[in-house]
Amino acid sequence: FFFESEQMCKTEIQPKRNPRKASMGLPGTEFGNGDIPMPKPPITMEQLRKAIPEECFQKDLAKSLLYMLRDFAFIATLYWFRGSFFQFGLLGKFVWWNITGFFGWALFVVGHDCGHETFSEYKWVNKLCGHICHTPLLVPFYGWKVSHHRHHSHHNHVDKDHSWKPFTKSEYDSFLSSPVSMWSRFHLPMLFLYPYYLIKESQL
């Protein structure tokens, strides 16, 4: 299925490349107002959509619930056999952490689809399952949904994107020169600031 879709994209969409525009979008090419010059997309949204099989756009509640229950089952099984992994010391813990983290991320993706209302045709089911999937991960579902909606409403916008705000070159250089900024972004405070940010968003 995926191989056929890939071949479809290769055969039906043949974007024209312009090597002179390769440097556009890189650090140091920003305009004075912070906007980043980007080349025109090589394909249109209509072309991209036609390259994706129609079944990918169909909501299937039974299939969605199957994926959700599968992820919970894997996580429960991994916790059940946690002692068996841990008896191998640090190596066993490392393997368990990574496998469990993978299925935790898979569970987050199911909640992500609930937030996009693609889990099912029923909004109440999407909300319920979204909370069920995100709560074990300590992610406030509604706050995340609000923030994520803003992210897609202003995708990659330098000022308005809530989920990813790119640095200008001057901001990045200034950030690296401050040990306090680096510590606050990559260390323990982020463990508490992320849930606080999402809870704050849910009040809007």
Side-chain angles (χ1 to χ4, degrees):
F1 169 75
F2 291 105
F3 176 77
E4 291 178 354
S5 299
E6 182 180 1
Q7 291 301 314
M8 188 185 304
C9 292
K10 289 181 178 178
T11 56
E12 293 188 5
I13 301 178
Q14 300 178 355
K16 297 180 180 180
R17 302 184 181 278
N18 187 345
R20 292 180 297 177
K21 295 185 178 181
S23 62
M24 299 184 73
L26 297 177
T29 63
E30 303 90 351
F31 293 121
N33 62 357
D35 290 343
I36 300 176
M38 296 296 293
K40 182 180 178 180
I43 60 176
T44 65
M45 289 299 295
E46 182 180 0
Q47 288 176 308
L48 180 60
R49 184 182 177 92
K50 287 182 178 179
I52 301 174
E54 190 60 32
E55 63 187 83
C56 295
F57 298 98
Q58 299 173 358
K59 302 177 184 180
D60 188 330
L61 177 58
K63 184 181 292 186
S64 298
L65 288 172
L66 180 63
Y67 280 120
M68 184 181 77
L69 294 175
R70 180 203 64 178
D71 294 337
F72 271 115
F74 272 111
I75 292 172
T77 302
L78 285 163
Y79 269 94
W80 181 266
F81 289 102
R82 181 175 56 174
S84 301
F85 282 90
F86 283 19
Q87 69 180 349
F88 292 100
L90 185 60
L91 177 61
K93 291 181 179 180
F94 179 80
V95 172
W96 185 86
W97 290 335
N98 278 273
I99 298 176
T100 306
F102 172 82
F103 284 103
W105 174 249
L107 193 62
F108 176 87
V109 172
V110 175
H112 169 275
D113 291 346
C114 292
H116 276 291
E117 306 289 352
T118 58
F119 186 84
S120 75
E121 298 285 356
Y122 309 99
K123 289 190 175 182
W124 70 271
V125 174
N126 297 335
K127 291 179 181 178
L128 176 62
C129 292
H131 281 287
I132 291 174
C133 290
H134 279 192
T135 298
L137 305 175
L138 303 181
V139 177
F141 175 71
Y142 183 69
W144 170 85
K145 181 179 177 180
V146 172
S147 173
H148 197 61
H149 174 73
R150 292 185 176 183
H151 162 63
H152 281 289
S153 298
H154 307 286
H155 200 255
N156 287 347
H157 192 284
V158 175
D159 298 317
K160 297 181 180 180
D161 191 335
H162 275 226
S163 297
W164 183 74
K165 182 183 183 305
F167 288 120
T168 62
K169 187 175 187 304
S170 59
E171 289 174 333
Y172 182 74
D173 292 339
S174 175
F175 176 78
L176 291 180
S177 65
S178 173
V180 175
S181 297
M182 294 182 66
W183 183 86
S184 64
R185 183 174 177 86
F186 297 111
H187 291 74
L188 187 61
M190 290 303 298
L191 180 65
F192 303 99
L193 291 176
Y194 180 61
Y196 167 77
Y197 161 71
L198 292 178
I199 292 173
K200 179 176 179 295
E201 285 295 305
S202 66
Q203 306 303 314
L204 301 177

